[in-house]
Amino acid sequence: MKFDTPATTNPIDQLQVVGKATPRIEGPLKTTGTAHYAYEHHDVLPNQAYGVVIGSAIAKGRIASMNLEAAEAAPGVLAIVTAANAGKLGKGKYNTAKLLGGPEIQHYHQAVALVVADTFEQARTAAQMIDIRYERAEGVFDLAATRESGKEDKEQMADTLHGDFEGAFAAAPVQLDATYTTPDQSHAMMEPFASMAAWDGDKLTLWTSNQMIDWSVTDLATTLGIAKQNVRLISPYIGGGFGGKLFLRADAVLAALGARMAKRPVKVALARPLMFNNSTHRPATIQRIRIGCTADGKITATAHEGWNGGLPDGKVELAAQPSKLLYAGENRRVTMRLSTLDLPEGNAMRAPGEAPGMMALEIAMDEMAHKLKIDPVEFRILNDTQVDPVDPKRPFSQRHLTECLRTGAERFGWNKRAAQPGTQREGRWLIGMGMAVAFRNNLLVKSGARVRLNQQGIVTVETDMTDIGTGSYTIIGQTAAEMMGVSLDKVVVRLGDSSFPVSSGSGGQFGGNCSTAGVYAACVKLREAVAQRLGVSVDDATFAGGEVRSGDKRVPLQDAAQAGELVAEDSIEFAQLSKKFQQSTFGAHFVEVAVDSATGETRVRRMLAVCAAGRILNPTSARSQVIGAMTMGVGAALMEELAVDKRLGFFVNHDLAGYEVPVHADIPHQEVIFLDETDPVSSPMKAKGVGELGICGVSAAIANAIYNATGIRVREYPITLDKMLDRLPPMI
């Protein structure tokens, strides 16, 4: 199905099932431990062996020698995989570095060997017996030192140069010129990277934890040099990914290689200390922002220039991208530069681009509002736009940013905020409020599904879409139930298997909208097949209450399948609408903090998010997504930082003891408001993504609240107390 005209009315608009707050249908399986994750398929195949990955001890150089003799002779050892005996390996489209290094080393903890044994303990013991000698080469690990060598990445983000920024900025009576930094960050998901591989002749089955099934099937086939049709990838449940599991990783490739060499099924999980350097991370950024305004607060010039580092084939982090679209103003310069660093792979992490970009941009907007002596909410409303500022002929399909700001300000009690920083106290605590805009583009990705109707009236949906804890099972089930006119308990949802039709996958907050639109398309086909079987016109038929109704005729839906199961398959393809309209999601974050006037300790006390993200398919799971994103925003603002050893080139705090993330005690009451909005341009579902919108701007809102509380402006994340101690106002 091609979606090339805005949706008006369709069966989804009945809203009998879609749009209702619904508990996740797979929840009981997860809470009872009967939902098997990648490493937990203990009973699928007999005689499973275990693999332990060895990571490189250097960041750059080569392996001079690798002595395997002691390990090969150790009890239970079945095979040891290295680059020397793995055979020729290709490199997939989505991997910057090779997933099995040697003899050349590209980054610290790049996988260099896999030890396979009868038990995990035997494999781990043998891995410690391998003697590897390295020849270390000089590496580059400091982003600030390489900033001037950064290059434009035209494929990912070409420069936006519109109007005369330099002239307009020079002429602006009120100017801001500030530089902000965000650190390297880790996904730190609960479930580690894990896989189990088994061969049947030349056919490979891989149980793994992966967000994008088809991408990874393709890359695995390319890496191993086998036909894509000989690879089956299964990933029904995923314990968090945040973008880290978008791509094929070392656990999957090495499990496949180990199983082939050992001639047994092999399961591999990356140890937590290995994950931080072996897998991808959000790269650090340096961002310079310049804003020029008229005296009454109209933006006339915007420049957002960013830098990040990556391996030689890496991709630029799109941190400056929001400044292309978010605020009005005729003159702008938006650029990103990529420097070559020999650190582990930088890549997508929840809301890549917008999340770190808004961390900087929304502090800059707060700073400019204070320069102008205009309320920060009103300053943003003053500079709202309903069209793409660079291409004014292209309107936003929906843009209710002002409504988000007004709603949030009223609900949060923004009028009680002290305009003068550092003036509101509760005993030793300095109290402040801050806010920031939320912004994330609405991405559209082709997505397919297969739908079955059996003689019992059960509707089964099959798609390779994944559920990374986001609620995909439930919204897909709700979509099928609405389309076929049955209750949710009459729908079975099967996900995460490459033998099913290719979906959008989970990432970029496009999964919910696009995968349900693909199910919608398949259900349209199934409705046609049902109508034909029953001898009615599909255009006149209503599917409701488990029946098909046409005129005076009312027939149970299951009657259509009495002559045999009905099967329909289709996909949604998004044609030209994205070129005619700019599609984005918007929101506003409001935060109250308390800062200890003696120690600089910051406590977040209240949080509110107001989101405009199209139709909310399931308010229960959507709220869960937003508060989870808000929690990540707290971590990014106050604690999360991968500490780089700039001499040896690795992340020092590579475990959950040293890499701090928020815990329950760090998170206060969180409120989420969804505007009553539908976007007929986005999809037949009239929905958009929301899971990443919740993180965009949160960190800046916290930074702005800290400024309001203390008068201290911190431009380097995370905002730890050492950056405030010597600037705190005197205790009273």
Side-chain angles (χ1 to χ4, degrees), residues 213-215 217-219 221-222 226-232 498 502:
I213 301 297
D214 190 62
W215 288 8
V217 168
T218 303
D219 273 8
T222 299
I226 61 178
K228 182 178 177 180
Q229 60 266 28
N230 286 350
V231 178
R232 183 183 179 191
S498 62
V502 176

Side-chain angles (χ1 to χ4, degrees), residues 312-323:
D313 293 330
K315 296 178 181 179
V316 71
E317 174 72 42
L318 306 177
Q321 181 173 259
S323 290

